Amino acid sequence: MSRSKALQYYIVSRLLLAPLQLLTIITIVFLLLRATPGDPADAILGGRAPEAAKEELRKQLGLNLPLWLQYLNYLGNILRFDLGTSLTSRGQNVWDIIGQYFPATVELAVFSMAVALTVGILVGTLSASRPGTSFDVGGRLFGIITYALPMFWAGMLLQLIFSVQLGWFPNSNRFPPNLPVPSTITGLYTIDSLLNGNWNQFFTALHHLALPSLTLGILLSGIFERIVRVNLKQTLKSDYVEAARARGVAENKILVSHALKNALIPVITVLGLTFASLLGGAILTEVTFSWPGLANRLYQAISDRDYPTVQGVLVFFGAIVVSASILIDILNAYVDPRIRY
């Protein structure tokens, strides 16, 4: 079988597996929410509400039905792209909640990923290119510490230092409450302010975004640092690198044009896994920095036992992670010709 046909077969198989992956996520979310303690009727009506009123609300929500029937009804709604209606947001549709809060999460995720890639690749390259030196030791320590630090603890510590003590960055929110937000085009304040040609709004939005994105990005950069350092060390010992040195090619050109290019191939694979970690870390980061994103809204829905909102947002996140995983696998298959399927 030629590589092109094998690649087509691999892409088709990954696309066929995607619905099964998403179904698994949907099922796990549904069962876990039903297993958690607490009653949505108590969360909505209060613990002192009459039992008759609670029972009527359970009938309206379908919570009095057998578990298997609730599951089938839920799958039917998902197939119709109906994520349900929030129990605590005055009947707001879950899709409307996603549209309202998701742009803030996207903005935080994009800037955090840019920070993670930049810092991780730079530190990993510096560490691998100087083995046995203090740079190498420092790079390894950086990777271990950033990977092990709890997200919420690091966020609160940096907030205490740079927001409370030094006053360099805002303590919370995406934009000052006393100023008008950029006119909505994409929902991303930094992009919208640039599209509107308002540089003051751009720098204000960037100022509010800086600390949470740097916190999340630096803590995730340890993943890329470790991968780049290990693979670059192996690549620098390969035969084609030694051949380039024998031909008198400059060491910096060997590092950038030959070794680093091949050492970055595994980074593409890890991007999908890191994206899932990014969404998980975004919940803690958004709660810590009071960032009005979808992850923070998910935390509020969990606290309020708002089943439809929690289910809808988690399924939405799951679909994003599955889609990102497929795209990364396909991209990796095109980039790395050594892969066999």
Side-chain angles (χ1 to χ4, degrees):
M1 183 183 296
S2 64
R3 186 176 186 275
S4 60
K5 291 184 178 180
L7 185 59
Q8 293 174 4
Y9 176 79
Y10 171 76
I11 293 174
V12 171
S13 63
R14 287 294 288 116
L15 291 175
L16 292 176
L17 282 175
L20 181 60
Q21 292 175 313
L22 192 56
L23 178 63
T24 304
I25 294 173
I26 292 171
T27 304
I28 292 174
V29 169
F30 178 86
L31 294 176
L32 286 178
L33 285 177
R34 269 39 180 202
T36 54
D39 188 351
D42 289 335
I44 297 171
L45 300 177
R48 297 183 179 181
E51 189 60 35
K54 294 181 182 179
E55 188 61 31
E56 181 63 27
L57 181 60
R58 294 189 190 100
K59 289 181 181 179
Q60 294 177 9
L61 300 177
L63 298 176
N64 62 324
L65 299 175
L67 188 63
W68 65 270
L69 188 55
Q70 293 184 43
Y71 178 67
L72 291 180
N73 290 337
Y74 180 56
L75 284 183
N77 292 333
I78 292 293
L79 291 176
R80 294 193 298 270
F81 295 96
D82 181 9
L83 297 181
T85 303
S86 173
L87 302 179
T88 57
S89 298
R90 299 179 182 178
Q92 188 178 17
N93 189 280
V94 175
W95 279 116
D96 293 336
I97 293 175
I98 292 173
Q100 179 180 352
Y101 291 95
F102 188 55
T105 298
V106 171
E107 192 167 42
L108 177 62
V110 169
F111 278 83
S112 299
M113 182 63 78
V115 172
L117 283 171
T118 303
V119 175
I121 292 174
L122 286 177
V123 176
T125 302
L126 186 64
S127 176
S129 61
R130 293 166 173 80
T133 65
S134 58
F135 292 101
D136 190 15
V137 176
R140 281 182 287 176
L141 287 175
F142 175 84
I144 294 172
I145 292 173
T146 53
Y147 187 78
L149 278 178
M151 192 76 65
F152 66 92
W153 181 85
M156 288 188 293
L157 181 63
L158 293 176
Q159 205 173 26
L160 179 64
I161 295 173
F162 294 104
S163 294
V164 178
Q165 298 293 335
L166 298 176
W168 291 356
F169 298 101
N171 196 32
S172 60
N173 294 324
R174 293 181 72 190
F175 213 78
N178 59 333
L179 294 179
V181 300
S183 300
T184 302
I185 299 175
T186 64
L188 311 180
Y189 285 177
T190 51
I191 303 299
D192 289 346
S193 57
L194 288 177
L195 293 177
N196 292 324
N198 194 323
W199 287 97
N200 290 330
Q201 287 185 335
F202 171 74
F203 288 116
T204 301
L206 194 63
H207 189 212
H208 280 72
L209 180 62
L211 189 57
S213 61
L214 284 172
T215 302
L216 184 56
I218 289 174
L219 293 185
L220 290 176
S221 66
I223 301 174
F224 297 107
E225 186 277 334
R226 297 172 72 181
I227 295 172
V228 171
R229 180 174 55 81
V230 171
N231 285 279
L232 186 56
K233 279 187 174 182
Q234 295 176 350
T235 306
L236 288 172
K237 297 177 182 178
S238 59
D239 293 339
Y240 68 88
V241 171
E242 294 295 334
R245 286 183 179 137
R247 292 196 303 269
V249 179
E251 192 67 27
N252 289 336
K253 187 175 182 179
I254 292 175
L255 178 65
V256 176
S257 301
H258 294 74
L260 185 60
K261 185 184 298 184
N262 290 306
L264 289 180
I265 291 177
V267 174
I268 299 176
T269 306
V270 179
L271 273 175
L273 299 175
T274 308
F275 193 77
S277 301
L278 188 65
L279 291 178
I283 296 178
L284 299 175
T285 305
E286 289 185 6
V287 172
T288 302
F289 289 93
S290 299
W291 188 262
L294 187 58
N296 197 355
R297 183 63 183 83
L298 173 62
Y299 172 78
Q300 295 174 7
I302 293 173
S303 302
D304 296 335
R305 297 181 179 87
D306 188 348
Y307 281 2
T309 302
V310 175
Q311 289 177 159
V313 172
L314 287 178
V315 169
F316 179 72
F317 277 156
I320 292 175
V321 172
V322 171
S323 302
S325 176
I326 293 174
L327 290 175
I328 291 299
D329 287 344
I330 294 175
L331 178 61
N332 194 42
Y334 275 107
V335 170
D336 192 355
R338 298 171 297 179
I339 295 179
R340 296 291 180 265
Y341 309 99

